[in-house]
Amino acid sequence: MSLDATDRAIVEQLQLDGRMPFTQIASEIGLTEGAIRKRVQRLTESGYMQIVAVTDPLSAGHRVALVGLRIAADADRTAAAIGSLPEVEYLVATAGRYDLMFEVIVDDEAHLLALLSRLRARKDVLEAEAFPCLKLYKQTFAWGAS
Amino acid sequence: MSLDATDRAIVEQLQLDGRMPFTQIASEIGLTEGAIRKRVQRLTESGYMQIVAVTDPLSAGHRVALVGLRIAADADRTAAAIGSLPEVEYLVATAGRYDLMFEVIVDDEAHLLALLSRLRARKDVLEAEAFPCLKLYKQTFAWGAS
Amino acid sequence: MSLDATDRAIVEQLQLDGRMPFTQIASEIGLTEGAIRKRVQRLTESGYMQIVAVTDPLSAGHRVALVGLRIAADADRTAAAIGSLPEVEYLVATAGRYDLMFEVIVDDEAHLLALLSRLRARKDVLEAEAFPCLKLYKQTFAWGAS
Amino acid sequence: MSLDATDRAIVEQLQLDGRMPFTQIASEIGLTEGAIRKRVQRLTESGYMQIVAVTDPLSAGHRVALVGLRIAADADRTAAAIGSLPEVEYLVATAGRYDLMFEVIVDDEAHLLALLSRLRARKDVLEAEAFPCLKLYKQTFAWGAS
Amino acid sequence: MSLDATDRAIVEQLQLDGRMPFTQIASEIGLTEGAIRKRVQRLTESGYMQIVAVTDPLSAGHRVALVGLRIAADADRTAAAIGSLPEVEYLVATAGRYDLMFEVIVDDEAHLLALLSRLRARKDVLEAEAFPCLKLYKQTFAWGAS
Amino acid sequence: MSLDATDRAIVEQLQLDGRMPFTQIASEIGLTEGAIRKRVQRLTESGYMQIVAVTDPLSAGHRVALVGLRIAADADRTAAAIGSLPEVEYLVATAGRYDLMFEVIVDDEAHLLALLSRLRARKDVLEAEAFPCLKLYKQTFAWGAS
Amino acid sequence: MSLDATDRAIVEQLQLDGRMPFTQIASEIGLTEGAIRKRVQRLTESGYMQIVAVTDPLSAGHRVALVGLRIAADADRTAAAIGSLPEVEYLVATAGRYDLMFEVIVDDEAHLLALLSRLRARKDVLEAEAFPCLKLYKQTFAWGAS
Amino acid sequence: MSLDATDRAIVEQLQLDGRMPFTQIASEIGLTEGAIRKRVQRLTESGYMQIVAVTDPLSAGHRVALVGLRIAADADRTAAAIGSLPEVEYLVATAGRYDLMFEVIVDDEAHLLALLSRLRARKDVLEAEAFPCLKLYKQTFAWGAS
């Protein structure tokens, strides 16, 4: 997937407001509405971009924790099982002290403990270390980040 | 922030497609378009929900890493500095082995090293341990998660 | 369990002296003895408060150690087994480097070693790391703490 | 402090109910009320036993965490400062991975983070690692434990 | 294997340029070409020295990682299996936190993850912790190093 | 640096024997000697390949250790200082538990200790953890590795 | 075992020179030779003191390493097996990061590796982490130490 | 220091009983008493062997702990300071997780804490992690060990 300057400009507008009308983006950038629509479609169909509602679980009283796992198995297989848990919102394989890291959204401490218990009872999980989030400082989805 | 069943139904629709017309949501849920619009406005203004373009940095050739920090300072102060870095996409304070954890998007290994070097040179940073992401398995933004 | 200011005042008195006569509490706070008795009964029956003798094992020549456990099982099941040991005075599930943490009171080093040996021989215990207490600095039971 | 069998029997009764009338203890054990009173006084004045209200902060919506500290200073001096914090309910010096370990009762995550921030900003604190308690399984104050 | 000053001088020349003609080495050092040839043969046949093409995988777009292993088996047996992997370029047994350490050259993150997955699925491998290389600062093959 | 199949074939020959005559490589691969010479020159001048004497310090009675460093500074600056030590044969920046990792060749334990002492006395070095090598299992320089 | 001042004085003399004649000790301390002999016999037979040749393995070209073990079994049982190895000179159960710690004297790196391999292949040994000794600074056997 | 078979035989006898008369050793080994005396003198004066009283601090009610240090200084300098403490009986520099490791004999927990406090207050000491000994399984001084 390669992006040109116009693609980036479109993404930046949609990161500010995902429902911005294409006519408005067109006039900001200096293209026709049809050209914007085509590029947005291409960015979306390629899997590079999606426009979605993003919610803040902390503001709704939920708890968030990052979890690091050490596993004794193929990462893809364990990840398939972990990823199917509805509490898991984000899951990656990592190099370093942990083999898999993920973020969970839970109702309360008892919920987190029940989730960790299920993980620890798995044969392919050696360690499950949770990092309860105490405060959310930043969450951006900005393409131009780096 | 408290949500009723209708709020949740709206959020779920917008998590599938952030640009779904309010008329379509209205007919799915059985409300007027105006009611949908008001509720979306309330969900957004409360800070609970935002509708944005979300991009996949890996598909654009970027690298992603989680980083755990041990700090020797007030978390808010250090977080303000870390959070102002454009590479930092997500930043939380955590309990446990790390004091702050964040996700960075970088161009390549040299970029990651330069970023870590800046962190390690800070007096309030005791340790900066990076976990380069090897594979992204799941990334949802679904409210109904837990 | 929700407490009002009067409840808190009663608890504070009983934290100074668990056997303080209700008439004395009544006169300190400005209520009738019967009202005090009812509130104490409610605080106790709800499980929020108990009035008990608390002893200092160190002053009787015992040794105290905290122990952190990593487990490979459901926390409730392992906790049930650990909690049934008479040496275990306090037991919690924790997030972070350890899955269960507890305090034990033992007669001497040999006793502690025998206890750790029993734990390490369990299949659901991966690690049992003891932190022998060298000095007790503070032990309060004060409700108004935070 | 040395205890005989009668002392232990008295302590055990008061661990069941700290307000048990001395006449009842006397009849259970087979001594006069005066003898019970004298022994309780001796147990209390020696610092071995206290009779107090003990509360369950979790049931009142508080959060509990254990914290392990690495310090770069005399333990007594740092402990004096940590122990003076009202959130700290229990504080010991330990051998092993941590130099001081303590339990805190806090209102919520923000409170815990603020507390950790104060600790990390201290020059004599090298590391402050928190273990948020997810569940309380056992809390006894029983002398006969070991 | 013991080396004299002439051996060292020859090695040093060949470390600068492995294809340096023996006549040139001979004139630099003050020996006959035949003497140089004999000594090089002896250094090579003893297993002390080899003259080879050494390549920089990073400059060809490959990724390099060090990996530390904890094992539950005889080191020689596990090392035989690890060493037979074509990605493993360098493998040693070490004292300390890791039992075996090795360097791998891989095509990309997915390749590294697949390799780690194979290791973690082995019964004799307890932990496989990867340290992705971010930058190569020095790589010498100089005998006179120490 | 991009390589074609002929480049790879040449590198493979020179990895077996760095002094193999170009005429021999030419006949093995089916090119003229001049073509081989040009390609070797290009491979060498691009920095991708060098032909050098590689020695085995263990067979000459030296000791080898890997060392992991945690640093509190810019990696390039610390690496410049570490890399200038003659005992350091290989030095990389890494992600994970260590910031810099390197291999040293030393005469004996006293030499290793002196080297570690110099590192630990540096302000930019937080930790220097040595992994003495107990056995060398594999050391290849093969391009075709991955 | 309780010691009086005379016992201590005798031990101190024998720590300077284990073969000091009893007549000399007698005249130093002001007792009869027979009294010295009786006390030495009592100190020895109680298991408190032994008079032995102590050797410095490092000065004879041996290597020394401390080893920390994590075990999954009763400490006494594993210790019986470890203690029967002739290389193990000193073995204790410890609280903290390791369950058993011991000192070994080995001929060389290969010997240490073989020993670690035997330990790691045991089912009751979870981790065997060696700390090769680089220098011996102090080794006393002085009773009056603390 | 190189030993022949006769030296070893003498050391072995003296490891059984440090006060064994030279005439008895002479008859066991088949040498004259004078020859034994000369060899013992040589073994002692070379620093390889000493004959001393060795005591068991645990049997006298003392506590023993191993301590691992991370330092930020030249090992010799820090070791000189640590080694001058009378509680330190054994002190070595090590490779691995700790830079210096030593054994201390202390009267009780308060004594150990005071000692650790002094160490932690030193600028050249980064971490002082104590491993209290729970049981002594083996302590030999046998030359023939490995």
Side-chain angles (χ1 to χ4, degrees), chain C residues 23-44:
Chain C
T23 52
Q24 184 181 338
I25 299 175
S27 75
E28 297 254 4
I29 293 178
L31 279 184
T32 65
E33 185 195 345
I36 299 294
R37 187 173 305 274
K38 259 190 209 157
R39 282 176 178 262
V40 168
Q41 194 171 350
R42 182 178 148 270
L43 288 164
T44 306

Side-chain angles (χ1 to χ4, degrees), chain C residues 63 109-110 112-113 116 132-135 137, chain H residues 63 109-110 112-113 116 132-135 137:
Chain C
R63 307 280 167 79
E109 277 93 352
L112 177 57
L113 182 59
L116 292 171
C133 295
L134 302 181
K135 190 169 182 178
Y137 286 109
Chain H
R63 306 281 167 79
E109 276 93 353
L112 177 57
L113 181 59
L116 292 170
C133 295
L134 302 181
K135 190 169 182 177
Y137 286 109

Side-chain angles (χ1 to χ4, degrees), chain G residues 11 15 54 139-145, chain H residues 50 52-55 89 139 141:
Chain G
V11 172
Q15 283 175 327
V54 172
Q139 184 163 33
T140 66
F141 309 94
W143 168 86
Chain H
Q50 50 180 319
V52 290
V54 172
T55 57
E89 197 197 31
Q139 183 162 34
F141 309 94

Side-chain angles (χ1 to χ4, degrees), chain B residues 14-32:
Chain B
L14 290 169
Q15 284 175 326
L16 295 177
D17 175 4
R19 292 182 74 91
M20 186 182 289
F22 291 158
T23 52
Q24 183 181 341
I25 299 174
S27 76
E28 296 253 6
I29 291 178
L31 280 184
T32 65

